[in-house]
Amino acid sequence: MIGPVLALSLALPQLDIPQLPPITREPQVTFLDRSGQVIGVRGGRYAPPVDVAKLPAYVPAAFVAIEDRRFYEHNGYDLAGMARAILTDVGQGHATQGASTITQQLAKNLFLSSERTLERKGVELVYAVELEQTFTKQQILGLYLSRVYFGSGAYGIEAAARRYFGVSAEHLTLREAAMLAALMKSPTDYNPAEQPERSAERTGLVLDAMVETGAITSEQRAKALASSPKVFKSAPDAASQYFVDWVDAQFIQMGPPKIDLVVETTLDARDEAEAQAAATTTIAQFAHDNVEQAALVALDPQGRVRAMVGGADYAKSSFNRAVDAHRQAGSSWKPFVYLTAMEAGRTPDTPAIDQPVTIDGWSPKDFEPTFLGPITLQTALAQSVNTVAATLADEVGRPNVANTARRLGIVTQINTDPAMALGTSLVTPIEMAQAYDAFSNGGERVRAWGIQQIHTVASGRELWRHPAPATPNVIANPALGEMNQMLRAVVASGTGVRAAIPGYDIAGKTGTTSDFRDAWFCGFTGGLTTVVWMGRDDNSPMRGVTGGLAPAAFWKGFMRLALKHTPVTPIPPGPPAPVAPPPPVLAPAIPTNSAAPTIQDGPI
């Protein structure tokens, strides 16, 4: 069984080695957050070859020590090692994987299948020799480290460093490098996130090998073993993948060139992590009330997406509820009704009556069983009184309310039946964030966007930059100021009190749909608008979950952290209301004759 392989090995120096097949790879697109942190990679499986010179010396040394100690001495194959391995497995009909040098492993990854036959092993040897004749040792290591599989979906050392430790490969510690090298024996059995004990045992063997090869000292080994790297159970950028999918779809529509590119985005990775953590915490807190899913969109005043949560767990479901889930808005729709009324001349102090009402055969019901009687519009919105909202929409015209919603950023179809005032139209969280951003930024309409710039990897040449966003004014004063006064009251004394954050100018609106199928909180302060939704994918009811409960808790859990690194800014008042010109002063009429006018008693 060993004759053909050994004979081929001995004959290789005299053979006329054929030319290597071309080394191909699909280009990758790397997505960065607003500070330059990698949040995702799309495209081909393999990254560009690693520049080994940029890595700490102990990183490649760890792989050489445990995988191929004679790497710098052989010409692609280790004859003595092959003989030992083949003799060990004599009678089994195949050579062991342990006989492969790093160059042979690279040849297999580049050109061959994973079948283990003597014929394939012979071709592997030929390709390994050709690789050694074509590339330097550093180049071979760079190709190898960019191609090997590290488990958990990570191909290449850069992806592995980010997946397990949340750092670039250039910043790996000695122990982290040894942990990654340990994975070469089995990415499943020595996965540090899933098998920490077996990983630690194998890592110790890697460090021992590094001492034996002179790559590190015994003291460095002891220090490395004493360290405790943080290993992420799931990828640290997992929360960002909903957003990356969203911007990647837009990127593809641009028809970019098929080269390695970098896409700089508007996302704030810190805000994103805080948003996902708040979603996870709130879902767990209200799980007994049948809360299953959550979505969040946070926008700055120009419409830049700062955070996006598309669901409870991207690994379990990549469906982006923040962008693609169309759900009833409930009472979070009412600001469109009230804005239409303010623009028609009502004010927050306009009187209204909470009483039974029927409109075209439909009778709205309030959440509370009793009616409040005479109240103001401000109280009606703060307490989310359905009868007043339905009456108001009927008075100002439901088509006018629909036009107001579209003007602010709602793009999906809007119904105009009497119940529309209570949010029966289907909307997405990102639409609602666009619309509420106009209340928070001084009355300007925005379109949510996430791609800031695109440039090449090779030269850094800029290919595209987002133009200055057009933000026309769509809410004028006094209506803007009146609406923000009322939306503040929702948080100060109404259904949104659980969303209040001391020291911040907070406004917003709760939303709850029939049978508690959807629950919303749409809120803002100066500089940041955030909309959250909670519910279930199958549209089944939750157990008594209103917008003022779980969504308000989710919203506050995110905002109280996000605002710590956002300047404290009051909600801007917007442009001043136009001053109506005074009526013209008319001169007294001059009689056409000099006679004084006659004063007559009684009718003419």
Side-chain angles (χ1 to χ4, degrees):
M1 299 297 293
I2 65 174
V5 174
L6 286 177
L8 176 62
S9 303
L10 293 172
L12 277 172
Q14 289 78 41
L15 289 177
D16 183 15
I17 303 297
Q19 186 176 2
L20 281 174
I23 298 175
T24 61
R25 55 174 288 273
E26 290 294 317
Q28 288 188 338
V29 181
T30 302
F31 293 87
L32 308 179
D33 87 327
R34 61 189 298 223
S35 65
Q37 179 177 327
V38 176
I39 57 173
V41 178
R42 296 291 185 271
R45 172 180 291 178
Y46 303 115
V50 173
D51 186 347
V52 176
K54 292 183 177 180
L55 299 176
Y58 51 72
V59 174
F63 291 84
V64 170
I66 199 66
E67 289 294 297
D68 185 3
R69 292 191 184 188
R70 297 186 64 249
F71 173 71
Y72 292 105
E73 302 167 19
H74 63 63
N75 293 317
Y77 62 98
D78 185 352
L79 188 57
M82 286 174 53
R84 286 193 302 270
I86 295 174
L87 286 171
T88 300
D89 280 354
V90 67
Q92 296 186 20
H94 61 81
T96 66
Q97 185 179 11
S100 296
T101 64
I102 283 177
T103 314
Q104 288 174 262
Q105 293 179 49
L106 175 61
K108 181 182 72 174
N109 287 338
L110 288 174
F111 309 120
L112 303 171
S113 68
S114 59
E115 66 174 340
R116 298 172 67 182
T117 64
L118 290 174
E119 290 77 13
R120 199 231 68 192
K121 196 72 176 178
V123 176
E124 176 188 295
L125 283 170
V126 171
Y127 285 155
V129 171
E130 182 67 11
L131 283 169
E132 291 278 349
Q133 294 177 357
T134 306
F135 299 102
T136 67
K137 291 288 187 178
Q138 294 293 84
Q139 289 173 325
I140 290 171
L141 265 179
L143 275 166
Y144 168 80
L145 290 174
S146 72
R147 296 260 173 166
V148 288
Y149 183 56
F150 289 87
S152 297
Y155 287 85
I157 194 167
E158 183 64 31
R162 291 198 310 269
R163 163 59 187 87
Y164 294 113
F165 309 116
V167 300
S168 168
E170 296 177 22
H171 298 110
L172 287 167
T173 66
L174 172 56
R175 169 135 192 183
E176 290 167 348
M179 292 169 74
L180 294 183
L183 284 164
M184 296 299 94
K185 184 174 179 64
S186 172
T188 301
D189 294 338
Y190 301 102
N191 187 308
E194 303 295 336
Q195 303 286 347
E197 293 183 1
R198 298 194 69 180
S199 171
E201 180 182 355
R202 180 71 178 170
T203 298
L205 294 178
V206 174
L207 292 169
D208 289 343
M210 294 180 74
V211 173
E212 292 169 7
T213 57
I216 61 173
T217 65
S218 297
E219 291 75 14
Q220 289 174 308
R221 172 189 178 277
K223 185 177 180 180
L225 288 174
S227 64
S228 300
K230 178 182 179 181
V231 178
F232 288 90
K233 191 73 174 176
S234 59
D237 61 2
S240 304
Q241 299 316 298
Y242 290 109
F243 172 82
V244 173
D245 285 349
W246 179 61
V247 292
D248 184 45
Q250 299 168 33
F251 168 80
I252 291 172
Q253 289 181 350
M254 295 178 182
K258 298 296 183 180
I259 57 175
D260 291 316
L261 296 172
V262 172
V263 176
E264 297 179 9
T265 75
T266 63
L267 196 78
D268 187 309
R270 180 170 46 175
D271 284 349
E272 181 72 4
E274 291 166 350
Q276 189 67 59
T280 301
T281 298
T282 310
I283 290 172
Q285 181 182 353
F286 290 89
H288 61 283
D289 294 321
N290 290 337
V291 174
E292 175 194 61
Q293 285 293 348
L296 174 149
V297 178
L299 304 180
D300 77 359
Q302 288 75 45
R304 298 180 185 90
V305 176
R306 292 302 192 214
M308 177 183 286
V309 173
D313 188 338
Y314 182 86
K316 294 180 179 178
S317 170
S318 61
F319 177 66
N320 191 340
R321 296 152 190 85
V323 174
D324 298 320
H326 292 78
R327 309 292 295 225
Q328 289 189 343
S331 293
S332 63
W333 182 267
K334 289 176 181 174
F336 308 139
V337 176
Y338 280 80
L339 174 59
T340 307
M342 296 302 108
E343 292 175 337
R346 273 74 164 183
T347 73
D349 295 327
T350 297
I353 302 176
D354 179 18
Q355 62 183 356
V357 63
T358 298
I359 304 171
D360 296 343
W362 169 72
S363 299
K365 298 292 188 296
D366 286 327
F367 183 75
E368 298 295 338
T370 58
F371 295 98
L372 299 178
I375 54 176
T376 64
L377 291 186
Q378 177 165 309
T379 299
L381 183 60
Q383 301 302 325
S384 205
V385 177
N386 288 337
T387 59
V388 173
T391 300
L392 198 59
D394 192 54
E395 291 174 355
V396 300
R398 293 184 294 276
N400 292 329
V401 174
N403 289 336
T404 297
R406 292 190 186 98
R407 190 174 83 227
L408 268 61
I410 301 300
V411 296
T412 50
Q413 184 176 355
I414 301 172
N415 69 67
T416 55
D417 60 30
M420 72 90 75
L422 309 187
T424 55
S425 294
L426 301 179
V427 294
T428 63
I430 198 167
E431 285 180 275
M432 294 295 280
Q434 288 178 163
Y436 271 76
D437 215 21
F439 292 118
S440 76
N441 67 10
E444 297 178 346
R445 171 170 176 165
V446 304
R447 176 183 288 275
W449 54 286
I451 298 179
Q452 181 71 58
Q453 181 191 15
I454 301 171
H455 60 82
T456 64
V457 171
S459 65
R461 180 169 61 91
E462 181 179 298
L463 301 182
W464 184 88
R465 179 179 291 273
H466 194 284
T471 54
N473 186 274
V474 291
I475 312 177
N477 276 308
L480 176 62
E482 292 167 339
M483 283 304 305
N484 283 340
Q485 173 187 322
M486 291 193 290
L487 292 171
R488 288 185 179 99
V490 172
V491 177
S493 59
T495 58
V497 291
R498 289 182 176 85
I501 302 175
Y504 289 90
D505 186 12
I506 303 293
K509 185 67 187 77
T510 57
T512 311
T513 63
S514 300
D515 300 322
F516 307 102
R517 298 177 190 275
D518 303 275
W520 299 74
F521 188 80
C522 308
F524 53 91
T525 186
L528 193 62
T529 297
T530 299
V531 165
V532 303
W533 165 88
M534 303 192 80
R536 298 179 61 83
D537 283 339
D538 61 4
N539 203 34
S540 60
M542 296 177 286
R543 189 176 293 113
V545 175
T546 66
L549 290 175
F554 177 17
W555 187 92
K556 182 176 181 178
F558 164 67
M559 289 289 280
R560 65 182 176 82
L561 296 177
L563 292 177
K564 288 183 178 180
H565 43 87
T566 301
V568 180
T569 307
I571 298 167
V579 178
V585 178
L586 300 178
I590 301 174
T592 57
N593 55 59
S594 57
T598 303
I599 299 175
Q600 301 177 353
D601 293 331
I604 298 177

